[in-house]
Amino acid sequence: MEGENTVKLHGSRKSPFSFSVELALKIKGTPYEFVEEDLKNKSELLLKYNPVHKKIPVLVHNGKPILESLVIVEYIDETWNDNGPRPASAPGSVYQSPGSILDQFSATTVLITKGEAQEKAIKEEIDTLKVVEEGMLEFFPTTPITNENQLGVLDIVICSVLGSYEAMEEVFGVKLIDPERNPLVFSWLEAVLKLPVVKEIRPTHEETVTFLQNLRDNLKVRKA
């Protein structure tokens, strides 16, 4: 039986999705055990905790599994809220504005489509980022964060969804985020990615490219 306040993260160090959850735990100062999963030979525990989709990451808190990276990030913020130093990123603020819009961004659709279907998916994601840019200008028009003590939910969501943008561009062959089209989102993302706590656990560009290519190969690519 899991002990009190036992936290385990089933994931892969090469996965940008696991990275976002680990970052959330790091900035909250929450002790956790990282369980490295072999995605070609997934553990019985992972299959037990996520029997339907069989995906990482899975956070297990006192024996309770929480699935999907953005859902897990929100759970971490709500569960360990005493350590969250940034009021603007408290639950009920970000998730009603740019963060909730970013939650709709899904590069997976671009990943598993091609031809006209992929072109449509790309346009939808670009439109989503345009709305996010406008929302951030309204809610967070200030200079991006400069140290890890300022990190909050919005920063983690940006990392989770957009942090591997260069690898996505290489695998997809298309530029989803552009500094001219999305200047605030881009500058905010770049500022977050330069922080030591992010660099410490972020997978390399090569690891992320390989992860996305393998993910694409394992998914059925759909045409229009």
Side-chain angles (χ1 to χ4, degrees):
M1 179 178 293
E2 302 283 359
E4 184 178 358
N5 290 326
T6 298
V7 180
K8 292 184 179 181
L9 172 57
H10 290 256
S12 168
R13 298 286 187 187
K14 298 179 181 180
S15 165
F17 310 112
S18 296
F19 153 73
S20 63
V21 175
E22 191 168 15
L23 178 60
L25 291 168
K26 284 274 188 182
I27 69 171
K28 290 292 185 179
T30 304
Y32 64 95
E33 175 186 346
F34 191 97
V35 181
E36 182 73 32
E37 289 285 348
D38 180 352
L39 301 186
K40 294 182 179 179
N41 185 26
K42 298 170 184 175
S43 70
E44 292 184 6
L45 275 178
L46 177 65
L47 300 180
K48 170 188 173 183
Y49 291 134
N50 194 355
V52 177
H53 300 293
K54 304 178 175 64
K55 296 191 306 182
I56 59 166
V58 174
L59 184 77
V60 184
H61 183 207
N62 296 339
K64 171 189 174 183
I66 302 95
L67 315 178
E68 301 294 337
S69 58
L70 293 181
V71 174
I72 297 172
V73 167
E74 185 177 19
Y75 175 86
I76 291 170
D77 188 67
E78 292 175 345
T79 302
W80 291 280
N81 55 21
D82 290 340
N83 296 329
R86 197 172 189 194
S89 294
S93 58
V94 169
Y95 277 88
Q96 293 174 3
S97 50
S100 62
I101 299 170
L102 265 177
D103 196 11
Q104 301 170 25
F105 184 96
S106 177
T108 304
T109 306
V110 180
L111 187 70
I112 64 174
T113 56
K114 61 181 180 180
E116 292 183 8
Q118 187 180 62
E119 291 176 5
K120 179 182 178 183
I122 291 170
K123 183 181 183 304
E124 290 175 351
E125 304 311 344
I126 289 175
D127 288 344
T128 296
L129 286 176
K130 180 180 178 181
V131 176
V132 171
E133 179 80 16
E134 294 171 351
M136 288 182 66
L137 284 169
E138 178 181 354
F139 288 92
F140 306 100
T142 57
T143 304
I145 56 93
T146 56
N147 67 75
E148 59 190 59
N149 291 330
Q150 294 175 289
L151 282 170
V153 172
L154 177 59
D155 309 298
I156 298 170
V157 172
I158 287 177
C159 272
S160 173
V161 178
L162 304 175
S164 56
Y165 75 96
E166 291 178 315
M168 288 191 288
E169 288 175 5
E170 183 171 331
V171 176
F172 301 155
V174 64
K175 187 179 288 293
L176 293 176
I177 179 171
D178 186 277
E180 294 184 4
R181 188 172 56 229
N182 317 106
L184 182 55
V185 172
F186 185 83
S187 63
W188 199 300
L189 174 62
E190 287 296 293
V192 173
L193 294 180
K194 291 177 182 177
L195 296 175
V197 68
V198 176
K199 289 183 176 182
E200 177 188 349
I201 61 173
R202 186 187 180 203
T204 66
H205 174 78
E206 292 74 18
E207 288 173 334
T208 305
V209 167
T210 300
F211 180 87
L212 292 175
Q213 287 174 336
N214 290 337
L215 182 61
R216 183 182 179 88
D217 292 341
N218 290 330
L219 294 171
K220 183 178 181 181
V221 177
R222 301 196 302 264
K223 295 182 179 180

